[in-house]
Amino acid sequence: MSNSGNIRENIMNSKIIFKQFLLAVLWGISISVVSAVHASNMLEDISFSSIPGDKVQVILQFSEQAPEPGTFTIDTPARIALDFPGTGVALEQKRQTIGIGLARSITAVAAGGRTRVVLNMVALTKYSTEVSGNKLVIVLDEANVARSTASLGRNTINDIDFRLGDDGEGNIIISFTEPPKNVNLKQQFEKLVVNIENVALPGELERRLDVNDFNTPISFIDTFASGKNIKMTVDTKGEFEHLGYQAGKTFTIEVKGLTKAQKEAREKAKFGYSGERLSLNFQDIEVRAVLQLIADFTGKNMVTSDTVSGSITLRLKNVPWDQALAIILKTKGLGMREEGNVMRVAPAEELAAIEKQELEAMKQIADLLPLVTETIQLQFVPASAVVKMLDEIGESEASKNQASDSSGESDEGASYVSSRATVVGDDRTNKLIVKDTARNIAQLRRLIEEIDTPTRQVLIDARVVSATDDFSKDIGLNWSYRTTDKSSHQPSSTGVEALKERGFAFDDDSGRTFANHKTADAVVDLGELQKNAFGITFAFLKNGLIDLEISASQLEGSSELISSPRVVTTNGSPAMIKQGTEIPYLEQNESGNTVAFKDAVLSLEVTPLIIPGQKVHMDLKINKDLPDFANTVLGVPPIDTKEIETSVLVGNGDTVVLGGIFERNLQTSTDSVPVLGEIPVIGAAFRANSKLDEKTELIIFITPKIMDETLSVR
């Protein structure tokens, strides 16, 4: 009974769940119907155009009276959004590219019985909306938008232009304020994508260019900013070939359509077979007969070995004849050698044996040829180096022959000298004396023409700049008390002179009145060496006075030390140049004290390697050592060392900053009278302030310059 009760309960639960699901489906359908009925007004079309006054006009056309939209804007990214209640969307494309002025694109989306239209902008600008019947007109006013490229602060695109070439090609010309550093052009399916790094784009150039009317493979050019970079997409049509090149401040993209012959050649190159097409449909036909059919079809002479036999079944339709021949030969284990207008077909093993016999016969003939002696003049390569190279080639061929003999196979290759040859190098005249067959000597001459060329040289110009900026300011003072004792009488002339020498002052030359001034020691002395001082009488007292002397000094200075080592070396060869001092010091060892030396030099070590594209790869090590004789240790000065070791790739004649070291020493100090210097306001008279600010910067520049054969810089 319990089991049957559980079954009935499960059945009831299932019915309840099914009813709930059915009600949910019906509710969803009813909501969709209500929404569809409610959204009877549909957005049917979007059009846009440029109108006078530097304005863009966008027209939204509805099936009924256009509703008043609710609008709002977003700064980042720049967007203008319009909401239309009770409307739907009946557009073929919900997103369209505008590419006029600051308007990038427009998107329309319907949801919940309303439609939202979003204008994607380069930057926000003034806009207005106006309802006219079943149309809503949006006008973007861009007249007051600043488009100055000066504020962009880096390399900027001045203009993007399209021109029609003389042969019907389309040329996209991009002009910059400075030569661009990184412009990457690549093809992605039917589009060309250009990525330009660290370049600014003015607002008026962020747009779409429609160039379909020029009848070139280019249809649209879209340019827009992507962070600090710029991306350009070029929509194309048909098959084309493209070329990108830079000249100064201009980068040009040339897109040219392919002719019918070029298209066929490209297809053949992709396919790998270029013969005329044929169809073959045979059941159990002899291989020799099929080969005869192909020979008759191509008009070529064919020699078939007697060992070719057997039959084949094939069905080939509209296949190039060379592909059909390759399939047949591969299926039956055959090989083919073509010499001029004659094809020779035989089993692969048989062809290999024939070729081996021919090579052995040629070798026997070469062994019987007479030997001749000739001299070969070398210009740039030492004769000993060429002899060494020929020895290495001979050793390599000997090891290959031993390997082929042990495996039972022969690997005969072209040899520049025979086993009977003698090659001697004369370094005095830089000539090779060769004794060999005339054929081998001719081969050797061709080899030497290839390798006897001047080695390119590179001038490495380094600059080590050490800049120093110093600033110091000192403010101090001292207080002093001076007593005064005055009396009047008329001494003799000799007495006046004697009193003047003792420090007395007189009112006039007659000596009628005079005063004796006795100065006491300073009460407060905070002067800084009294570099620049002036004094004032601060207060008068009975039989004395108080003097204030202020000492202030401000020192500013800058210096720049430039070291410029230069060295010239051949391509791939290391070079070093150094200048400096060897500092002696005592070193203890088993035999006692000996004098050793430590280098304190400015040195440059470099190994340049010229690579294609007029670029130079360099392994660099730069040292700048300065001995500090003011802080010696046991008579030996410490060495202030600055060193950099790196590898860089630099264009010919370009300058790169390898690195830099920046140091700053900032010191402030206050000297004051205890207690008095801490009193607010008044305490400033009992304090002396000092400030020191030293800045030191080391920057290393490197410039490689490739030299031509005349040893002048290219």
Side-chain angles (χ1 to χ4, degrees):
M1 290 294 292
S2 61
N3 291 336
S4 60
N6 292 333
I7 293 173
R8 282 195 295 270
E9 185 178 354
N10 292 334
I11 293 173
M12 293 296 293
N13 292 334
S14 301
K15 289 181 178 180
I16 293 172
I17 293 172
F18 177 74
K19 288 181 180 179
Q20 292 176 348
F21 174 73
L22 183 61
L23 289 174
V25 172
L26 293 175
W27 181 81
I29 294 174
S30 63
I31 291 297
S32 301
V33 172
V34 171
S35 299
V37 172
H38 184 65
S40 58
N41 194 4
M42 307 295 289
L43 177 60
E44 296 181 336
D45 186 42
I46 298 176
S47 60
F48 42 83
S49 61
S50 178
I51 59 178
D54 201 10
K55 299 179 180 180
V56 178
Q57 179 178 269
V58 181
I59 300 177
L60 308 180
Q61 184 170 342
F62 295 85
S63 58
E64 299 177 2
Q65 175 69 28
E68 286 287 346
T71 63
F72 64 92
T73 60
I74 302 175
D75 291 333
T76 306
R79 290 177 179 173
I80 300 174
L82 301 93
D83 285 341
F84 300 92
T87 60
V89 177
L91 298 172
E92 294 182 359
Q93 295 182 351
K94 294 184 179 181
R95 186 183 188 280
Q96 299 183 37
T97 301
I98 299 178
I100 302 176
L102 297 179
R104 282 183 175 176
S105 61
I106 187 170
T107 304
V109 179
R114 65 186 179 92
T115 297
R116 172 167 291 180
V117 177
V118 179
L119 276 164
N120 297 307
M121 308 288 292
V122 175
L124 286 180
T125 184
K126 294 182 179 180
Y127 70 95
S128 62
T129 60
E130 181 182 357
V131 176
S132 176
N134 64 340
K135 295 182 179 180
L136 177 72
V137 181
I138 307 170
V139 177
L140 306 175
D141 187 1
E142 304 177 6
N144 298 323
V145 177
R147 299 178 181 175
S148 174
T149 62
S151 62
L152 298 175
R154 61 180 189 274
N155 193 8
T156 307
I157 292 183
N158 281 335
D159 189 26
I160 300 174
D161 193 12
F162 178 84
R163 297 177 187 175
L164 183 63
D166 296 335
D167 298 329
E169 71 273 12
N171 295 316
I172 303 172
I173 301 173
I174 309 173
S175 301
F176 299 84
T177 57
E178 300 175 4
K181 299 296 183 182
N182 294 310
V183 181
N184 300 316
L185 172 64
K186 59 183 178 180
Q187 182 176 351
Q188 294 181 351
F189 302 104
E190 296 181 354
K191 288 187 177 182
L192 293 176
V193 179
V194 185
N195 289 305
I196 310 172
E197 297 181 4
N198 197 26
V199 173
L201 180 68
E204 65 269 20
L205 297 181
E206 192 161 3
R207 63 190 178 186
R208 160 172 279 200
L209 297 179
D210 185 351
V211 294
N212 281 292
D213 296 339
F214 290 92
N215 195 26
T216 67
I218 303 175
S219 53
F220 297 101
I221 305 170
D222 293 304
T223 310
F224 53 91
S226 177
K228 292 184 178 181
N229 304 329
I230 296 174
K231 186 174 183 180
M232 174 185 288
T233 58
V234 181
D235 293 339
T236 61
K237 52 191 175 184
E239 296 189 23
F240 64 91
E241 59 182 6
H242 68 279
L243 175 66
Y245 56 91
Q246 178 182 338
K249 300 178 181 179
T250 303
F251 187 84
T252 304
I253 305 171
E254 181 182 297
V255 183
K256 187 176 182 180
L258 299 179
T259 62
K260 183 178 180 180
Q262 290 174 330
K263 292 179 182 178
E264 292 177 353
R266 175 174 288 190
E267 289 296 328
K268 290 178 181 179
K270 291 181 180 178
F271 187 52
Y273 299 99
S274 58
E276 188 177 353
R277 297 179 179 270
L278 54 75
S279 298
L280 298 173
N281 188 0
F282 295 103
Q283 182 75 25
D284 198 19
I285 186 175
E286 291 185 359
V287 175
R288 300 175 68 89
V290 178
L291 295 176
Q292 183 62 41
L293 287 174
I294 294 176
D296 294 339
F297 181 80
T298 60
K300 290 182 175 292
N301 299 317
M302 181 178 292
V303 177
T304 306
S305 174
D306 294 339
T307 55
V308 176
S309 60
S311 59
I312 188 172
T313 299
L314 50 85
R315 177 183 174 84
L316 301 174
K317 186 175 182 180
N318 198 27
V319 176
W321 70 264
D322 49 353
Q323 184 184 15
L325 178 60
I327 292 173
I328 295 170
L329 296 177
K330 187 175 182 180
T331 303
K332 303 303 292 184
L334 303 175
M336 187 267 291
R337 300 292 184 270
E338 188 171 4
E339 300 175 1
N341 196 32
V342 178
M343 291 187 297
R344 183 171 59 179
V345 180
E349 297 83 357
E350 183 178 332
L351 287 175
I354 293 173
E355 291 176 350
K356 183 177 180 179
Q357 291 176 1
E358 292 176 351
L359 289 174
E360 289 178 351
M362 292 175 61
K363 185 177 180 181
Q364 292 177 0
I365 294 173
D367 291 341
L368 298 175
L369 290 175
L371 299 178
V372 296
T373 301
E374 294 186 13
T375 61
I376 302 175
Q377 179 67 58
L378 301 173
Q379 295 183 4
F380 305 102
V381 182
S384 57
V386 176
V387 173
K388 182 179 179 181
M389 179 190 65
L390 294 175
D391 291 340
E392 292 176 352
I393 294 175
E395 293 175 359
S396 176
E397 289 183 353
S399 61
K400 288 183 179 179
N401 292 335
Q402 290 177 0
S404 63
D405 292 341
S406 61
S407 62
E409 299 178 358
S410 177
D411 186 17
E412 295 289 345
S415 176
Y416 296 102
V417 293
S418 66
S419 58
R420 300 185 297 161
T422 303
V423 180
V424 178
D426 183 9
D427 291 334
R428 184 179 59 85
T429 59
N430 202 29
K431 288 184 177 181
L432 288 180
I433 304 173
V434 184
K435 184 177 182 181
D436 201 352
T437 63
R439 186 193 67 176
N440 285 351
I441 292 177
Q443 292 180 350
L444 183 59
R445 287 186 181 276
R446 288 193 293 270
L447 172 65
I448 290 176
E449 288 178 359
E450 294 291 332
I451 64 175
D452 189 22
T453 56
T455 304
R456 303 177 74 181
Q457 299 186 88
V458 182
L459 168 64
I460 310 298
D461 186 357
R463 288 181 180 269
V464 183
V465 180
S466 179
T468 303
D469 188 6
D470 297 334
F471 173 82
S472 63
K473 182 167 70 173
D474 302 311
I475 298 178
L477 52 85
N478 63 66
W479 296 89
S480 62
Y481 173 71
R482 180 179 300 176
T483 60
T484 306
D485 181 15
K486 291 187 177 181
S487 59
S488 298
H489 62 278
Q490 187 174 358
S492 63
S493 60
T494 57
V496 171
E497 295 298 332
L499 290 174
K500 283 185 178 181
E501 293 178 356
R502 295 176 60 186
F504 287 85
F506 293 86
D507 293 338
D508 52 29
D509 293 337
S510 64
R512 295 180 181 224
T513 62
F514 60 90
N516 183 14
H517 299 269
K518 297 181 180 178
T519 304
D521 294 335
V523 178
V524 179
D525 188 357
L526 297 176
E528 294 292 326
L529 300 182
Q530 310 225 349
K531 297 177 183 177
N532 296 285
F534 66 94
I536 61 173
T537 299
F538 182 74
F540 291 95
L541 300 177
K542 185 179 180 180
N543 298 325
L545 53 86
I546 297 176
D547 288 340
L548 170 65
E549 186 176 83
I550 299 176
S551 175
S553 174
Q554 180 171 312
L555 177 64
E556 295 183 44
S558 61
S559 63
E560 187 174 280
L561 177 62
I562 301 177
S563 304
S564 182
R566 296 184 181 183
V567 65
V568 177
T569 182
T570 56
N571 183 30
S573 300
M576 182 185 70
I577 184 172
K578 66 179 180 178
Q579 177 197 9
T581 305
E582 287 189 343
I583 300 175
Y585 64 94
L586 292 178
E587 187 178 62
Q588 293 183 349
N589 51 29
E590 296 178 355
S591 59
N593 294 334
T594 59
V595 178
F597 293 89
K598 175 66 176 178
D599 288 341
V601 297
L602 169 67
S603 65
L604 168 64
E605 299 180 27
V606 60
T607 303
L609 180 62
I610 301 173
I611 63 175
Q614 290 293 298
K615 295 182 180 297
V616 182
H617 178 273
M618 294 176 290
D619 293 327
L620 287 158
K621 182 178 181 181
I622 300 176
N623 277 72
K624 183 178 177 63
D625 302 334
L626 289 175
D628 186 4
F629 291 100
N631 299 296
T632 60
V633 179
L634 298 178
V636 180
I639 299 176
D640 182 12
T641 300
K642 297 180 177 65
E643 178 180 339
I644 185 171
E645 186 171 356
T646 183
S647 296
V648 292
L649 179 64
V650 190
N652 178 31
D654 293 342
T655 300
V656 64
V657 180
L658 296 183
I661 300 173
F662 179 79
E663 296 178 350
R664 183 177 184 181
N665 181 16
L666 183 61
Q667 298 179 4
T668 58
S669 62
T670 301
D671 186 10
S672 64
V673 177
V675 180
L676 295 178
E678 299 175 2
I679 301 175
V681 182
I682 300 175
F686 299 92
R687 290 195 298 264
N689 298 319
S690 177
K691 182 179 180 181
L692 175 65
D693 190 357
E694 293 180 346
K695 300 175 184 177
T696 304
E697 186 171 11
L698 176 70
I699 307 176
I700 301 175
F701 303 88
I702 196 77
T703 305
K705 299 176 182 178
I706 301 174
M707 307 177 71
D708 57 18
E709 296 180 4
T710 61
L711 300 183
S712 60
V713 177
R714 300 182 61 180

